[in-house]
Amino acid sequence: MKIMTCPVNGPRAISEFAYGGEIRSMPDPATCSDDEWADYVFNRNGSPGVKREWWCHLPSNTWFVAERDTARDVVLRTYLYEGEG
Amino acid sequence: MRLPAQPGEWIDRTTPLGFRFEGRDYTGFAGDTVASALAAAGVSMLGRSFKYHRPRGLLSAANHDVNAMMQWGGMPNLRADATPLAAGMDLEAVNTFGTLERDAGSMLGHLSRFLPVGFYYKAFHGKRLFPLWEKMFRAMTGLGKVDFSAPRQRTPKRYGFCDVLVVGGGTSGLAAALSAAEQGAQVALVDENARLGGSTQGASELVGKVLAHPRIRVFTDTYAAGYYADHWVPLVERERITKMRARAVVVAAGAFEQPAVFRNNDLPGVMLASGAARLIRRHAVQPAGRIVLLAANADAYQALADFIRAGIEVAAVVDLRGTLPSEQRALPAAHDIPLFAGHCILEALPSSDGRRVAGVKIAPLGQTQAIAELACDGVFMSVGWAPAAALLYQAGTKMRYDAGIEQFVPEKLPDGVFACGRVNGVHTFASRLLDGERAGSAAAAHCGLGGAKPIAVPTETDSPTHPWPIVPHPEGKNFIDFDEDLQLSDLENAIQEGFDNIELMKRYSTVGMGPSQGKHSNMNALRVLARATGATPGEVGTTTARPFFHPVPMSHLAGRGFTPERRTPMHALHEAAGAVWMPAGAWQRPEYYAIHGLTREACIEGEALAVRQGVGLIDVGTLGKLEIRGPQAAEFLERVYVSKYAGLKTGMTRYAVMCDEAGVVIDDGVIARLADDHFYFTTTTSGAAAVYRELSRWNTLWKMDCGIVNLTGAMAAMNLAGPKAKQVLTGLTDVDLSLPFLAVREGNVCGVPARLMRAGFVGEWGVEIHVPAEHGARVWQALMQAGQAHGIRPFGVEAQRLLRLEKGHIIIGQDTDGLTTPGEAGLDWAVKMDKPFFVGQRSLAIIASKPRPRQLVGFMLPADHAGPAPQECHLVIDNGDIAGRVTSIAWSPALQRHIGMAYVKPGMDAAGSTFAIRLSDKTLVSAEVAKTPFYDPDNLRQKEEA
Amino acid sequence: MPWRLLRFALSKKHPEPRMFTRHDRLKPAYDVVIIGGGGHGLAAAYYLAREHGITNVCVLEKGYIGGGNTGRNTTIIRSNYLTPEGVQFYDESVRLWQDLAQDFDLNLFYSNRGHYTLAHTDAALRTSRWRAEVNKHFGIDSEVVGPEVVKKAAPMIDLSCGGHAPILGALYHAPGAVARHDAVAWGYGRGADMRGVEIHQRTEVLGIGVVGGKVAGVRTNRGNIATNKVLCAVAGATPRILDMVGIRSPIYIHPLQAMVSEPVKPWLDPILVSGSLHVYISQSARGELVMGASLDPYEVQSTRSTFDFPESLSAHMLDMFPFLSNVKVMRQWAGMADMTPDFAPIMGRTPVEGFYLDGGWGTWGFKATPVCGKTMAYTVANDREHTLITGFGLDRFRNFALTGEKGAASVGH
Ligand SMILES: Cc1cc2nc3c(=O)[nH]c(=O)nc-3n(C[C@H](O)[C@H](O)[C@H](O)COP(=O)(O)OP(=O)(O)OC[C@H]3O[C@@H](n4cnc5c(N)ncnc54)[C@H](O)[C@@H]3O)c2cc1C
């Protein structure tokens, strides 16, 4: 089974984790257009590549960021979320 | 014939085992395989082929002899060449029509000219007749039979860990294991054979060292079923699976000896030289008395020595090569064995009964005229190898074709994966030792243990594999794939029809798709395609090697079977009270409590009546129970639920609806404010885990000053409801029970710290009591006892569904679906669009600007409705079109009529108007839109200060 | 023995021509370029040629035809969907399937086995009724049946499923069928080829030229092509092609895995699907049990296998059929499923003029192969959506008007 490294709990079997999708920044709902909002809600960056993703270590309920190459399923780096930028 | 004792033989001659095959009794020894015991008894026909039902025997004796599959009671498809003999076995060949001896299916062999490659695509598809043909195909197809009475086997699994996993216990694997272990690695060494040593003699010294090494764990009779990400390799043993996590993997899996292709190369008695050698060395069986050895490499001559030693008469050595090294010529010369260099076997000749090889015709390579015919009862072939590279491919190894040795070898290995020995293109004994040592050392170094030894492995000077061991014959029956009964012409014809790509050829001809998964056929098929298209084997490439290396029994894969089930602390009490269980996600909940002599409906109605007229108690402990604390707790809740909570007074509760970002209702519950910065709230049973997780994610993202805890398992919860509920509770709690509707209080119940929430879900005066899980049963019991005088009844999910329906409360997931917005579900009142933000708000604003596609309404059937009532999910029909559906419906004892909820088209939702519901039998039932709550419309009962 | 096999016995040389013409080079221009030589792309080519007389068409396939999800799927064909648009669309497909083997003169082993969606919970039973009622409304043969009917169709089943997921009933769909997946691609391919369509294998599209919002040409590893119409039918590669034309979509890619057992004598007639146990199973004409489960839980854009998959699928198989303990699993594999948020496809025109999309086929698109070919050919030929696909447009997301198919999709094949 694949191994994912939780920044708090260390390397664990992937079955202990939940995938939360790519980290996407929310447009300002007050100022964005309807189309921009719909794009945020529904559209995804569906092509393979290195993505910043949400992952949760379930037993400890730790959400963190994984940088993962989705073409090869290789986790390059994991770390706790520190905000954007 | 059984030989005298062989050095290092695997059989135990002191333990004879009796068994039956095709109705006849035989005896073998412990340590025999089924096939070796039968070979010792002189049985050479072990099965029939898949398509033509031709007699077949042993080929490899290495677990890919698919034509020697047997049925033993409920066990289908036992491979005779790899199944240890057991006393009392009663075996039959699979897939015969009649018996192995008299197989009516063998007439198909005569029809083979009518059955070209892919013949089944070319006919039988008449629309009317196909079902009949298909029946016939289904009667012919398949191998063993499943036995419906076979028991479920629960096979254990365990986890293993090691630094270096070495797959293959032959020469190079042994060397690799030793060198890795000597560098300090914890090593696991696996081999599918019962003993280490592989196919070569001479490794016995190494075997001793490996077995004695404290850091090497040996798994024999075990195969690595596949390679999965991060060096995760399931090791399949007879009685268990070990899921091995390695830090590095050395693949030393060797190579499969490949058959030569000539007419009748499938006759029993025609087998791989390595297979024959196995029978001799391991099982002391002489597989034939007089053989012709078909050779094309050094291995053939090593095997020849074995054959001579075993007293086999060698009629001739036929070598495909024109010139061969003098040391290879020496052995036949020394024994006066005629050597036909540059010759091939044109065809094998069957015995008069067709059941065994009786001779061969020999011709110079490339010529079609035989120059000699030799009698023999065995043809042993050693013409080349195909790497056992499945694990390497699965790990993502890039392979290349090495023309020097006519073999695919690893070009670029993935991180932490190593290869050595024959699979790495290294065939000479001494080189394999070196290559193993090199790979083992490198693997240990990969784990941070020592440095990789610089070891140069000499390249092979002599190709172990012939590039074209294939002899055409006008009459065919020169088989490339024994599993699938494919002859050379089948592949050539597939190519002619345009299936000239390795994958297309495979899919059209089915080459390599049988149970041995191409172990003996893929390489020859690839060579045929390469030659036909003028490409090199490297350009043609291989098909994808997917798991499993050998098929794995479902019992092993399934393991013991683990289906966790969640139970509330009151489970045993419900059980004792006659609960009929229903699953709710992972939980078990009482659907209702059965009373002897009463129907299900009567029980449920009785429970509901108890709540309406007396008092009832329901276990609601499966609800998600979360707690949030911190200065920004209220603000957080306002962001994730559609209503407002900042203004919620401490000591009060409020209904809560959650949407996703698209504005779809996904959960609901009740939020209780315990302090300014402290809330306790519930979610649906099935949503609990997901809601907790999603809220935690939002909190990670927003970094608000508050923390969320999941108390779902830590708290028990029950709802005491009914006009007499207060009387029951009085005396059991220190909380002032004049608390108003929707209030929450902390206090004690039965001396246990509790949270009490005045709830109205079922529409009577009620309190939800939440206590630490360990006290749940005690409190429940105390309430039941106190309620006895008031006729208390426990009620289940069904009664609650009815009671809430009478109150017009929706159930998420039943009255909503994957697209329902709050407005559609009649929850507009809860949605506060004037908040600065909540999840789903912006989407709801967009949705609000569009016409609403549907509306959930309450409805009633006429009080005098007779005949069957609609059921949930019956459709609302308007002018012949679908206009909605019923989401909930029940007979209301309180209203004495059917009530329900349904989605209808906008414009159909005016109270008092009617619509039609269509039953399964197509009759239409008229329903009237009704205001909710149906029962106690002003909600007086639940609020009432009793 | 059918007489048509006689010619094979009588002729000395194998009397069959190539099924697909080999074309050594691409032409500089085509009226229509179809990306993807899966069932969908080849079917669209076939109907463009057969029904619209458009034959200056090429199908570009980066690997070999049928090598994508077409050749990896578990081939369940049914029309018992939940939404009116879904039901009518798939019903038309099932109708086309019935005549396909005749049309192609190629046996597709289209095998009408009957399809049971097992319900283990009352919620699943409710959904079954919903589907049955919608199906019947459109004249489709579906009904809710009790456990005893399931037992009759598969007498060896353990109705209690090991005691933890008793079967309460099922949605029975008589037209449910399976077919030989590869042959479908070959049949459409040969039919298109015979009518003049060029099929180019090992030809990968690397870029799409868009000028002034209109498709102008396609760049491949074998050279450039001028064209004003491109149909994208690449399933798991859809987002990559959409990136080439700058279209955003909700499509996301998760692997879907499957496995087969060693051949055993046929014992299972119907197709069984269990949402609660995440199992679907049928037995092929080769005697193999073809088994699948639910989608992998996270994005991976490769066809790697996991061991968890055969482990959990086998456990659930044995819940239903405990006697299979000794039956062996021979092979597992995976495909890349192009998923959408509402479990319905995305079909039709796009904001780029001349760029037509047939994607979002996820775990359910094999059964739609004929109807997709037909409706997409119509759409490309007329530059207007066929009425059967108007509900599947890309703009439904922008308009917050998703289809309701998700409501019934526990295991959505
Ligand atoms: C395991 C599994 C089980 C399934 N089970 C079922 C089922 O039971 N029933 C059902 O109805 N559906 C099922 N499906 C779904 C179904 O297989 C697919 O939806 C359907 O086959 C899609 O067909 P297609 O022709 O659109 O795509 P594909 O067959 O994937 O064809 C797309 C082709 O495009 C090619 N391509 C991609 N990029 C390029 C490029 N840049 N240039 C050139 N060519 C390119 C690919 O090589 C591929 O051959 C299953 C899917 C999987 C993976």
Side-chain angles (χ1 to χ4, degrees):
Chain A
M1 195 183 311
K2 240 200 121 45
I3 288 184
M4 173 65 86
T5 301
C6 168
V8 175
N9 300 284
R12 299 295 172 106
I14 195 111
S15 57
E16 290 187 19
F17 294 83
Y19 167 68
E22 191 174 7
I23 299 185
R24 303 169 299 121
S25 51
M26 185 189 288
D28 182 350
T31 57
C32 73
S33 69
D34 288 0
D35 280 358
E36 281 164 350
W37 183 256
D39 178 73
Y40 163 74
V41 170
F42 295 112
N43 289 341
R44 295 292 178 270
N45 165 22
S47 289
V50 175
K51 299 186 182 179
R52 288 181 71 227
E53 298 171 330
W54 283 115
W55 284 83
C56 180
H57 180 242
L58 295 170
S60 66
N61 196 46
T62 310
W63 279 100
F64 61 93
V65 182
E67 286 177 10
R68 192 172 64 93
D69 178 351
T70 65
R72 298 181 301 136
D73 195 15
V74 171
V75 182
L76 306 174
R77 207 154 76 92
T78 59
Y79 48 91
L80 291 176
Y81 182 79
E82 293 295 345
E84 293 301 310
Chain B
M1 195 186 86
R2 194 74 77 173
L3 293 164
Q6 299 290 303
E9 69 182 17
W10 293 6
I11 50 170
D12 171 6
R13 295 182 190 245
T14 64
T15 314
L17 304 173
F19 69 104
R20 281 172 89 79
F21 174 58
E22 290 279 322
R24 291 185 55 185
D25 291 312
Y26 298 94
T27 313
F29 293 121
D32 260 326
T33 61
V34 168
S36 69
L38 286 169
V43 179
S44 52
M45 179 168 73
L46 300 182
R48 292 279 180 170
S49 70
F50 181 61
K51 193 158 122 193
Y52 303 129
H53 290 254
R54 287 168 65 90
R56 293 274 165 90
L58 273 183
L59 176 68
S60 70
N63 201 4
H64 42 104
D65 289 356
V66 168
N67 294 142
M69 283 227 211
M70 302 193 175
Q71 180 92 25
W72 176 22
M75 308 246 239
N77 300 1
L78 284 178
R79 294 187 180 184
D81 62 330
T83 304
L85 186 67
M89 280 180 147
D90 187 357
L91 301 152
E92 276 170 23
V94 300
N95 194 32
T96 59
F97 293 88
T99 62
L100 177 60
E101 284 289 324
R102 286 175 213 295
D103 180 356
S106 59
M107 62 158 302
L108 285 165
H110 303 298
L111 298 178
S112 64
R113 291 189 58 78
F114 294 88
L115 308 175
V117 65
F119 70 91
Y120 34 81
Y121 293 126
K122 300 174 192 291
F124 312 107
H125 50 286
K127 210 167 170 177
R128 243 170 2 98
L129 287 183
F130 176 71
L132 296 176
W133 286 118
E134 191 189 21
K135 267 215 177 81
M136 188 199 78
F137 281 123
R138 285 179 87 89
M140 305 287 298
T141 199
L143 297 171
K145 294 188 205 80
V146 294
D147 169 2
F148 303 139
S149 65
R152 162 81 156 94
Q153 276 159 34
R154 297 183 188 277
T155 310
K157 291 183 187 174
R158 64 177 181 185
Y159 294 92
F161 299 87
C162 65
D163 294 322
V164 177
L165 170 67
V166 180
V167 179
T171 308
S172 64
L174 292 165
L178 269 180
S179 85
E182 270 154 27
Q183 268 171 235
Q186 297 292 338
V187 175
L189 173 65
V190 216
D191 195 283
E192 61 175 301
N193 289 293
R195 300 192 190 180
L196 295 178
S199 53
T200 316
Q201 260 176 331
S204 47
E205 195 189 326
L206 273 183
V207 171
K209 278 196 200 161
V210 161
L211 291 175
H213 203 292
R215 276 192 296 278
I216 303 179
R217 246 181 314 162
V218 173
F219 296 74
T220 45
D221 211 4
T222 302
Y223 57 94
Y227 174 95
Y228 299 91
D230 294 336
H231 308 321
W232 179 247
V233 180
L235 307 179
V236 181
E237 302 161 68
R238 297 234 172 240
E239 304 300 339
R240 136 179 92 201
I241 278 189
T242 300
K243 294 190 266 183
M244 182 62 76
R245 170 81 68 195
R247 294 168 67 206
V249 177
V250 177
V251 177
F256 307 119
E257 189 155 50
Q258 298 293 295
V261 178
F262 51 86
R263 178 167 162 79
N264 292 333
N265 61 343
D266 63 329
L267 280 172
V270 179
M271 64 187 300
L272 300 169
S274 56
R278 269 183 207 107
L279 286 179
I280 294 167
R281 255 191 262 125
R282 298 177 180 173
H283 307 293
V285 171
Q286 195 195 68
R290 177 182 154 90
I291 64 155
V292 169
L293 176 65
L294 180 62
N297 55 22
D299 300 295
Y301 294 86
Q302 269 169 28
L304 178 62
D306 282 355
F307 302 148
I308 294 170
R309 213 173 303 125
I312 296 172
E313 185 188 342
V314 182
V317 175
V318 178
D319 199 308
L320 297 174
R321 298 169 299 175
T323 53
L324 47 152
S326 55
E327 72 273 14
Q328 292 176 18
R329 290 176 171 274
L331 186 62
H335 289 83
D336 286 333
I337 299 169
L339 170 66
F340 294 86
H343 282 65
C344 65
I345 294 179
L346 207 52
E347 75 177 287
L349 305 166
S351 58
S352 56
D353 62 1
R355 305 268 163 87
R356 181 156 186 140
V357 64
V360 294
K361 285 188 182 173
I362 295 170
L365 199 60
Q367 294 187 19
T368 54
Q369 276 305 315
I371 53 132
E373 192 173 314
L374 299 173
C376 62
D377 65 349
V379 174
F380 297 167
M381 309 174 273
S382 186
V383 297
W385 303 87
L391 264 60
L392 290 176
Y393 280 110
Q394 288 157 25
T397 306
K398 194 164 172 278
M399 305 282 284
R400 73 179 166 87
Y401 191 76
D402 181 339
I405 53 171
E406 304 290 350
Q407 179 188 325
F408 283 94
V409 292
E411 178 168 26
K412 191 165 183 323
L413 288 157
D415 210 29
V417 177
F418 303 85
C420 60
R422 289 193 195 262
V423 76
N424 197 30
V426 177
H427 290 260
T428 321
F429 180 72
S431 300
R432 273 186 277 152
L433 280 176
L434 280 177
D435 201 31
E437 189 182 348
R438 175 198 58 76
S441 168
H446 177 83
C447 303
L449 300 162
K453 287 190 208 156
I455 296 176
V457 180
T459 46
E460 299 289 319
T461 49
D462 186 21
S463 173
T465 295
H466 194 274
W468 187 250
I470 296 167
V471 180
H473 195 284
E475 284 166 72
K477 298 283 164 30
N478 39 5
F479 287 93
I480 291 212
D481 190 322
F482 299 104
D483 298 24
E484 300 282 309
D485 259 3
L486 295 168
Q487 319 168 42
L488 175 59
S489 61
D490 288 324
L491 297 189
E492 290 171 341
N493 294 341
I495 295 165
Q496 176 184 325
E497 289 187 38
F499 298 91
D500 51 4
N501 156 309
I502 190 75
E503 289 281 0
L504 285 177
M505 182 174 82
K506 165 181 170 174
R507 284 154 179 269
Y508 188 64
S509 69
T510 71
V511 65
M513 280 170 56
S516 81
Q517 293 280 289
K519 290 188 178 71
H520 65 260
S521 60
N522 280 346
M523 206 53 224
N524 281 331
L526 191 154
R527 294 188 195 284
V528 171
L529 178 58
R531 185 161 281 211
T533 55
T536 64
E539 286 161 354
V540 166
T542 56
T543 55
T544 320
R546 297 205 171 269
F548 295 123
F549 182 69
H550 292 310
V552 184
M554 277 204 219
S555 61
H556 283 58
L557 293 166
R560 290 217 170 93
F562 183 54
T563 313
E565 185 180 288
R566 294 188 79 175
R567 299 174 168 188
T568 73
M570 289 83 103
H571 191 91
L573 300 174
H574 302 322
E575 185 78 50
V580 173
W581 298 101
M582 67 183 288
W587 293 95
Q588 291 292 316
R589 298 193 69 183
E591 181 184 350
Y592 66 98
Y593 297 83
I595 296 178
H596 188 71
L598 290 186
T599 62
R600 173 179 180 275
E601 286 67 32
C603 293
I604 294 165
E605 190 168 329
E607 289 170 17
L609 272 175
V611 176
R612 288 277 176 258
Q613 293 169 5
V615 56
L617 184 63
I618 182 171
D619 184 349
V620 295
T622 61
L623 294 177
K625 296 176 286 288
L626 308 182
E627 198 165 274
I628 180 166
R629 278 179 201 248
Q632 287 186 292
E635 190 188 337
F636 180 83
L637 292 173
E638 290 215 343
R639 284 185 175 215
V640 296
Y641 283 101
V642 302
S643 305
K644 292 188 181 173
Y645 302 95
L648 180 65
K649 287 206 194 72
T650 298
M652 292 304 287
T653 67
R654 184 169 291 163
Y655 180 61
V657 179
M658 184 178 286
C659 286
D660 67 10
E661 289 198 282
V664 171
V665 178
I666 52 170
D667 205 70
D668 70 351
V670 169
I671 295 179
R673 187 167 211 162
L674 302 176
D676 209 36
D677 61 351
H678 184 190
F679 296 82
Y680 179 68
F681 57 110
T682 59
T683 75
T684 61
T685 296
S686 54
V691 167
Y692 173 56
R693 199 186 317 146
E694 185 60 2
L695 295 190
S696 305
R697 192 182 68 85
W698 285 122
N699 201 24
T700 307
L701 179 68
W702 293 331
K703 300 185 176 313
M704 296 176 73
D705 193 358
C706 55
I708 312 162
V709 183
N710 187 353
L711 297 179
T712 303
M715 300 289 277
M718 56 210 97
N719 184 11
L720 181 74
K724 296 182 181 161
K726 193 187 279 188
Q727 284 160 265
V728 172
L729 195 53
T730 312
L732 290 180
T733 181
D734 56 2
V735 173
D736 176 2
L737 291 180
S738 65
L739 74 172
F741 184 54
L742 299 183
V744 57
R745 296 289 181 272
E746 292 185 280
N748 284 292
V749 175
C750 311
V752 169
R755 288 174 180 159
L756 279 67
M757 293 190 259
R758 276 279 280 108
F761 193 54
V762 297
E764 302 293 341
W765 191 97
V767 216
E768 232 172 77
I769 304 166
H770 293 236
V771 296
E774 61 268 35
H775 302 303
R778 228 180 83 208
V779 173
W780 175 278
Q781 266 174 317
L783 289 171
M784 288 301 292
Q785 203 154 17
Q788 226 165 29
H790 307 281
I792 193 169
R793 278 185 67 171
F795 64 106
V797 175
E798 275 304 325
Q800 180 178 251
R801 277 188 187 163
L802 162 65
L803 295 166
R804 67 86 207 186
L805 182 58
E806 289 178 335
K807 293 302 294 178
H809 294 305
I810 63 163
I811 295 177
I812 304 290
Q814 175 169 343
D815 302 300
T816 66
D817 56 47
L819 291 181
T820 308
T821 59
E824 290 170 2
L827 298 171
D828 277 326
W829 58 270
V831 182
K832 303 301 175 205
M833 293 302 279
D834 58 347
K835 288 197 285 185
F837 173 85
F838 64 86
V839 176
Q841 182 188 40
R842 182 67 168 83
S843 294
L844 290 175
I846 297 172
I847 291 165
S849 69
K850 303 178 188 291
R852 186 171 284 178
R854 56 180 177 165
Q855 187 68 54
L856 188 68
V857 296
F859 70 84
M860 299 192 294
L861 298 191
D864 59 355
H865 174 81
Q871 291 177 291
E872 283 148 2
C873 289
H874 276 146
L875 299 179
V876 174
I877 299 295
D878 185 38
N879 273 325
D881 287 335
I882 299 176
R885 76 175 209 278
V886 175
T887 61
S888 290
I889 184 165
W891 167 258
S892 165
L895 283 94
Q896 287 294 304
R897 61 205 297 177
H898 283 94
I899 58 168
M901 288 195 266
Y903 282 102
V904 295
K905 285 246 164 82
M908 295 170 63
D909 59 344
S913 64
T914 60
F915 60 84
I917 301 169
R918 190 168 62 200
L919 309 186
S920 293
D921 66 3
K922 302 223 155 94
T923 50
L924 293 176
V925 168
S926 174
E928 182 187 321
V929 177
K931 275 220 162 66
T932 58
F934 299 98
Y935 171 79
D936 183 24
D938 298 320
N939 296 329
L940 297 176
R941 296 177 67 91
Q942 64 213 50
K943 291 181 187 164
E944 166 188 332
E945 304 294 313
Chain C
M1 188 65 47
W3 63 268
R4 35 192 320 163
L5 292 177
L6 201 62
R7 65 196 171 103
F8 293 102
L10 297 180
S11 67
K12 208 158 160 50
K13 272 199 70 93
H14 188 57
E16 287 281 46
R18 281 184 72 87
M19 272 208 200
F20 324 103
T21 315
R22 207 192 341 236
H23 304 279
D24 287 333
R25 67 176 130 268
L26 292 162
K27 288 199 281 187
Y30 294 91
D31 294 342
V32 180
V33 171
I34 296 175
I35 313 176
H40 286 217
L42 294 166
Y46 174 83
Y47 292 109
L48 268 177
R50 201 183 83 161
E51 299 196 344
H52 303 280
I54 301 176
T55 58
N56 184 23
V57 175
C58 69
V59 179
L60 307 181
E61 167 53 53
K62 73 173 172 195
Y64 58 98
I65 58 172
N69 288 352
T70 299
R72 297 164 195 272
N73 85 99
T74 48
T75 79
I76 297 174
I77 296 165
R78 59 183 178 86
S79 60
N80 59 353
Y81 278 71
L82 179 61
T83 59
E85 59 271 36
V87 169
Q88 292 171 86
F89 178 79
Y90 293 106
D91 183 40
E92 174 63 13
S93 209
V94 169
R95 240 192 294 275
L96 291 167
W97 274 110
Q98 325 249 339
D99 294 318
L100 222 48
Q102 259 78 32
D103 283 5
F104 294 164
D105 191 18
L106 188 76
N107 194 344
L108 305 178
F109 276 72
Y110 182 82
S111 176
N112 185 174
R113 316 212 65 78
H115 181 282
Y116 291 83
T117 311
L118 305 177
H120 305 258
T121 63
D122 63 339
L125 212 47
R126 269 201 300 275
T127 310
S128 296
R129 189 175 303 116
W130 186 2
R131 283 165 63 181
E133 291 305 318
V134 174
N135 290 184
K136 284 188 283 186
H137 184 82
F138 293 101
I140 285 155
D141 192 356
S142 292
E143 55 181 319
V144 176
V145 297
E148 69 291 347
V149 178
V150 176
K151 188 81 188 167
K152 224 168 144 189
M156 60 300 287
I157 199 168
D158 174 1
L159 280 180
S160 82
C161 293
H164 51 258
I167 294 169
L168 307 179
L171 174 66
Y172 172 55
H173 178 55
V178 288
R180 177 88 183 93
H181 46 29
D182 297 322
V184 176
W186 305 333
Y188 275 119
R190 182 171 70 174
D193 180 276
M194 273 167 19
R195 290 169 174 82
V197 171
E198 292 185 4
I199 299 169
H200 292 271
Q201 303 187 62
R202 296 193 183 190
T203 307
E204 182 170 9
V205 171
L206 304 172
I208 297 171
V210 178
V211 178
K214 295 183 189 172
V215 166
V218 169
R219 184 161 62 83
T220 81
N221 60 339
R222 292 173 60 215
N224 295 347
I225 306 170
T227 187
N228 292 318
K229 290 191 175 191
V230 166
L231 168 60
C232 170
V234 296
T238 304
R240 299 180 225 192
I241 301 291
L242 291 182
D243 280 357
M244 295 176 190
V245 288
I247 293 175
R248 287 183 47 81
S249 87
I251 294 175
Y252 59 97
I253 311 293
H254 284 211
L256 181 67
Q257 304 191 55
M259 66 187 197
V260 287
S261 74
E262 278 190 347
V264 286
K265 289 278 169 208
W267 56 272
L268 180 70
D269 283 334
I271 305 158
L272 300 180
V273 178
S274 160
S276 298
L277 296 180
H278 308 286
V279 171
Y280 55 96
I281 173 180
S282 66
Q283 189 170 19
S284 76
R286 288 170 57 83
E288 297 163 348
L289 297 169
V290 180
M291 298 166 273
S294 33
L295 202 64
D296 276 17
Y298 65 97
E299 174 184 325
V300 177
Q301 306 226 12
S302 74
T303 54
R304 62 95 179 99
S305 296
T306 68
F307 189 60
D308 322 20
F309 175 78
E311 286 187 284
S312 68
L313 178 47
S314 299
H316 290 139
M317 281 294 297
L318 295 189
D319 285 342
M320 282 159 74
F321 304 111
F323 55 86
L324 293 180
S325 294
N326 290 315
V327 169
K328 293 179 198 139
V329 177
M330 185 165 76
R331 187 175 172 89
Q332 66 172 130
W333 68 90
M336 287 183 272
D338 40 332
M339 302 298 294
T340 62
D342 59 358
F343 292 11
I346 303 178
M347 300 177 74
R349 288 173 294 173
T350 65
V352 175
E353 202 180 318
F355 184 83
Y356 304 88
L357 179 61
D358 170 41
W361 282 109
T363 65
W364 55 82
F366 176 69
K367 65 182 70 64
T369 305
V371 73
C372 282
K374 200 173 162 134
T375 55
M376 285 313 297
Y378 177 95
T379 304
V380 170
N382 296 293
D383 196 35
R384 187 175 71 237
E385 277 77 14
H386 188 283
T387 47
L388 279 175
I389 66 168
T390 49
F392 301 140
L394 177 60
D395 55 3
R396 70 179 184 270
F397 300 99
R398 215 178 113 213
N399 295 332
F400 283 79
L402 277 59
T403 75
E405 212 52 74
K406 196 172 181 176
S410 34
V411 178
H413 301 278

